[in-house]
Amino acid sequence: MKQDNDPIEQLLVLHRDEVLREWLAEVAASSPSAGAAVGASAAADAAALLDAFVAGLRAGADAKRFDDIGWEPVRNTLETLSRARAARGSLAGETSHFVLALKKPLFSGLQQSPHTEPQHVLAAVWRVSTLVDRMAQFTMDTYQRSREEVIRRQQEELLELSTPVVKLWDGVLAVPMIGTLDSSRTQLVMESLLQRIVDTGSELAIIDITGVPTVDTLVAQHLLKTVTAIRLMGADCIISGVRPQIAQTIVHLGIDLQGISTKASLADALALAMKRVGYTVTKTKG
């Protein structure tokens, strides 16, 4: 494969600056918005990618297989470039266009090579075209993965923020639930609540479902699992925020909440919790 790469390597070694200049000019000319999006970092990105490209050619990497170990410097450079551009707000298409613009100076340089046979030029052009296409596709895949990672991280952060465990009083914790309950969220609530029970030595936990829009069989099962886990830790649980609609739904579904204290509001649940842990709340005369 080293011999097949020779014409491309010679072009990039002997005419690196020309290729780099034509590449950046092609980016700006064919898509001004993409050229503007990369800003002053375009030259540095292009130079780093060309250097990695030459390293792959010198290693004899197979131009037909972008997963060849010889192209690892190129893959690493593309991944860094793609993630950096995604963080700056560039679109996936802009990064892909940036890479594809490399074709024109490479094609032009290979065709003007005075020491290469026409059939070898054609073969080299085809290898370059295939390789650059795969490089562009790699940037798209990397961009997609990076965006998915950001979205997943944001979802996890929002999930944690939406299920805080609050200490209301000595021995009394509360978890205000907002939104739909699913398996992953219930698991997170359970883990956070059980850990806080251990950390604080609390005797009671209030699960407030005022912000839960609907309660179906699945949601009720998640609540029951959480209550069971709390009891296994030696604490007890009160469910608050049971509105008339939710109460009717629970009855119609035949869900058994016997043995679990329920209250219509968080205030009522807190009053019951205070009584259970031995506190008496009295109103002073104003």
Side-chain angles (χ1 to χ4, degrees):
M1 289 302 160
K2 181 67 171 66
Q3 186 176 2
D4 293 339
N5 295 339
D6 283 347
I8 309 171
E9 181 182 343
Q10 290 175 8
L11 171 64
L12 292 177
V13 170
L14 297 177
H15 304 285
R16 178 183 181 279
D17 293 342
E18 291 87 339
V19 170
L20 185 60
R21 184 168 55 251
E22 291 181 25
W23 181 8
L24 296 174
E26 176 63 16
V27 171
S30 59
S31 179
S33 61
V38 296
S41 64
D45 291 342
L49 189 52
L50 273 186
D51 292 340
F53 198 92
V54 172
L57 293 171
R58 286 175 172 171
D62 189 347
K64 298 178 182 179
R65 293 182 52 203
F66 190 56
D67 59 348
D68 190 304
I69 191 172
W71 295 122
E72 186 173 0
V74 176
R75 292 194 299 270
N76 292 340
T77 303
L78 286 173
E79 184 167 1
T80 301
L81 182 150
S82 299
R83 291 182 180 276
R85 286 168 174 250
R88 293 199 298 265
S90 296
L91 299 176
E94 293 174 348
T95 303
S96 177
H97 166 79
F98 177 81
V99 175
L100 290 172
L102 176 59
K103 281 188 177 184
K104 185 175 180 180
L106 290 180
F107 289 177
S108 177
L110 289 171
Q111 290 172 352
Q112 295 174 10
S113 177
H115 305 296
T116 307
E117 297 294 331
Q119 63 271 22
H120 294 158
V121 170
L122 181 61
V125 166
W126 175 252
R127 285 194 295 274
V128 164
S129 179
T130 302
L131 182 58
V132 174
D133 285 343
R134 291 174 180 173
M135 290 166 58
Q137 182 61 49
F138 184 83
T139 65
M140 297 287 285
D141 294 341
T142 301
Y143 180 91
Q144 184 65 28
R145 287 196 304 272
S146 65
R147 297 301 297 172
E148 289 174 353
E149 290 171 3
V150 170
I151 292 172
R152 184 167 56 253
R153 185 172 64 252
Q154 290 175 340
Q155 288 175 335
E156 292 173 354
E157 292 172 353
L158 287 173
L159 192 60
E160 292 177 357
L161 290 173
S162 66
T163 53
V165 180
V166 182
K167 183 177 179 180
L168 297 181
W169 203 263
D170 289 340
V172 181
L173 300 176
V175 182
M177 306 293 292
I178 300 174
T180 304
L181 290 178
D182 55 24
S183 299
S184 59
R185 188 175 183 197
T186 303
Q187 183 66 29
L188 179 62
V189 171
M190 192 183 301
E191 291 176 358
S192 301
L193 185 53
L194 296 181
Q195 186 59 50
R196 285 299 301 275
I197 289 173
V198 172
D199 294 341
T200 62
S202 298
E203 304 171 24
L204 268 170
I206 300 173
I207 300 178
D208 183 64
I209 60 172
T210 304
V212 177
T214 58
V215 173
D216 55 17
T217 304
L218 187 61
V219 171
Q221 288 176 351
H222 291 324
L223 288 174
L224 290 173
K225 289 179 181 178
T226 304
V227 172
T228 301
I230 292 171
R231 287 177 170 175
L232 287 173
M233 295 297 297
D236 202 357
C237 182
I238 302 172
I239 298 178
S240 66
V242 181
R243 306 183 297 278
Q245 300 90 334
I246 291 181
Q248 292 179 41
T249 302
I250 291 175
V251 171
H252 290 157
L253 292 174
I255 299 170
D256 185 10
L257 293 182
Q258 289 187 2
I260 301 175
S261 299
T262 59
K263 290 293 180 180
S265 68
L266 180 59
D268 293 338
L270 178 58
L272 177 60
M274 297 280 286
K275 183 178 180 179
R276 285 191 180 180
V277 295
Y279 290 97
T280 302
V281 180
T282 57
K283 184 178 180 179
T284 60
K285 295 180 180 180

